[in-house]
């Protein structure tokens, strides 16, 4: 079993749909992240939660809405997405040890918006 | 200027070759540095952290040059299985704000 689990692995949705991505970490970490990876672009940091508090929102459009009910679970609620939002969405978790936090990733959700 | 910059490659090398990648970062206050590896259509996985004194893990050596704000990764005796994209990662501000470079693609040929 991987330390960070994401569901679903693949998702196709229309522009008027509402869907949610789920992430669960079993590593006892206190921070969780959402990253977006589009084709031929670097990973883009979207959100960071530390002890359930959002500490980073990297100018993400409001059609992406994160939720962190506890330090083990992270959701990304999606609504009225655009085709250019099609990408691989990666969840990660980390734990700060003396100012260093290595991120461990889930396998990602490959999202296609039609 | 991008926060983290890498040469996208690809670096096409024969098995057994030594290859080196560099990465530059813009924030002089950064404290955490990592190299990640990403295989095609897979998630990134931590390859190694980069420490101020430099560190080695088998065939892989990482170096940090704070004065010039770059980190490097050296791979000796390349294997076919080393073919992947290597991502440079730097924290910006808090230890939790990890910014990824666009990656350097390595192709090791027989």
């Amino acid at each position: 079993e991987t330390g960070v689990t994401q569901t679903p692995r693949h998702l196709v949705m229309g522009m008027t749909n509402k869907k949610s991505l789920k992430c669960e970490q079993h590593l006892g970490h206190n921070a969780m992240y959402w990253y977006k990876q589009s084709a031929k672009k670097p990973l883009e940091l979207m959100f960071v939660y530390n002890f359930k508090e959002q500490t980073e929102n990297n100018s993400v459009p409001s059609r992406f809405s994160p939720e962190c009910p506890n330090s083990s679970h992270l959701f990304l609620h999606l609504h009225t997405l655009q085709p250019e939002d099609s990408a691989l969405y990666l969840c990660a978790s980390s734990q700060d040890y003396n100012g260093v936090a290595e991120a461990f990733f889930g396998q990602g959700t490959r999202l296609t918006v039609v | 200027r991008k926060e983290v910059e890498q040469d996208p490659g690809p670096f096409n090398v024969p098995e057994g070759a030594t290859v080196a990648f560099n990465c530059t970062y813009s924030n002089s206050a950064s404290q955490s540095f990592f190299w990640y590896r990403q295989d095609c259509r897979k998630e990134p996985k931590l390859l190694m952290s980069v420490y101020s004194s430099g560190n080695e893990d088998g065939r892989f050596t990482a170096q940090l040059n704070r004065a010039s704000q770059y980190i490097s990764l050296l791979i000796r005796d390349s294997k076919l299985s080393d073919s992947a994209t290597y991502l440079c990662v730097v924290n910006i501000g808090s230890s939790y704000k990890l910014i990824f470079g666009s990656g350097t693609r390595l192709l090791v040929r027989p």
Side-chain angles (χ1 to χ4, degrees):
Chain A
E1 182 185 341
T2 60
V4 181
T5 305
Q6 288 186 244
T7 54
R9 293 289 307 280
H10 301 271
L11 178 63
V12 180
M13 61 185 287
M15 289 189 283
T16 58
N17 291 160
K18 289 185 180 181
K19 296 285 183 184
S20 296
L21 309 185
K22 180 183 176 182
C23 176
E24 184 174 358
Q25 59 102 355
H26 313 279
L27 301 168
H29 291 165
N30 60 284
M32 296 188 76
Y33 309 72
W34 281 115
Y35 281 88
K36 174 184 177 182
Q37 188 171 37
S38 305
K40 299 186 179 180
K41 286 188 177 181
L43 271 79
E44 300 170 50
L45 180 62
M46 300 175 72
F47 302 103
V48 181
Y49 277 82
N50 184 9
F51 287 112
K52 303 188 299 176
E53 299 296 322
Q54 188 181 120
T55 59
E56 293 289 340
N57 177 336
N58 224 24
S59 303
V60 181
S62 59
R63 58 186 185 268
F64 295 92
S65 174
E67 179 190 359
C68 189
N70 55 62
S71 56
S72 298
H73 293 86
L74 184 65
F75 296 90
L76 188 63
H77 304 300
L78 316 171
H79 64 97
T80 59
L81 294 192
Q82 304 299 310
E84 59 264 28
D85 295 323
S86 299
L88 179 67
Y89 288 85
L90 289 158
C91 173
S93 71
S94 72
Q95 178 71 41
D96 186 312
Y97 294 105
N98 297 317
V100 178
E102 301 168 354
F104 293 83
F105 285 85
Q107 293 176 300
T109 295
R110 191 160 295 279
L111 173 68
T112 303
V113 181
V114 297
Chain B
R1 182 183 174 185
K2 291 181 183 176
E3 292 174 304
V4 181
E5 289 201 69
Q6 294 183 251
D7 179 345
F11 285 62
N12 192 323
V13 302
E15 270 188 291
T18 295
V19 62
F21 310 135
N22 283 337
C23 164
T24 58
Y25 59 95
S26 61
N27 191 319
S28 59
S30 296
Q31 294 293 322
S32 306
F33 309 91
F34 309 94
W35 283 103
Y36 277 71
R37 170 193 169 131
Q38 186 172 26
D39 294 291
C40 187
R41 303 184 72 83
K42 299 275 191 171
E43 76 275 19
K45 292 186 178 177
L46 179 68
L47 179 66
M48 57 198 304
S49 302
V50 186
Y51 304 121
S52 296
S53 55
N55 47 301
E56 187 174 311
D57 183 1
R59 298 181 292 109
F60 299 85
T61 301
Q63 296 280 352
L64 168 63
N65 185 318
R66 286 190 186 274
S68 301
Q69 293 181 208
Y70 78 82
I71 66 175
S72 64
L73 177 68
L74 181 78
I75 305 176
R76 290 180 297 277
D77 189 23
S78 300
K79 311 291 184 191
L80 294 176
S81 57
D82 293 335
S83 296
T85 297
Y86 290 84
L87 303 167
C88 171
V89 185
V90 177
N91 80 299
I92 306 291
S94 86
S95 62
Y96 296 109
K97 190 172 180 180
L98 298 176
I99 304 299
F100 283 71
S102 55
T104 298
R105 191 163 171 226
L106 172 65
L107 300 171
V108 181
R109 63 181 188 270

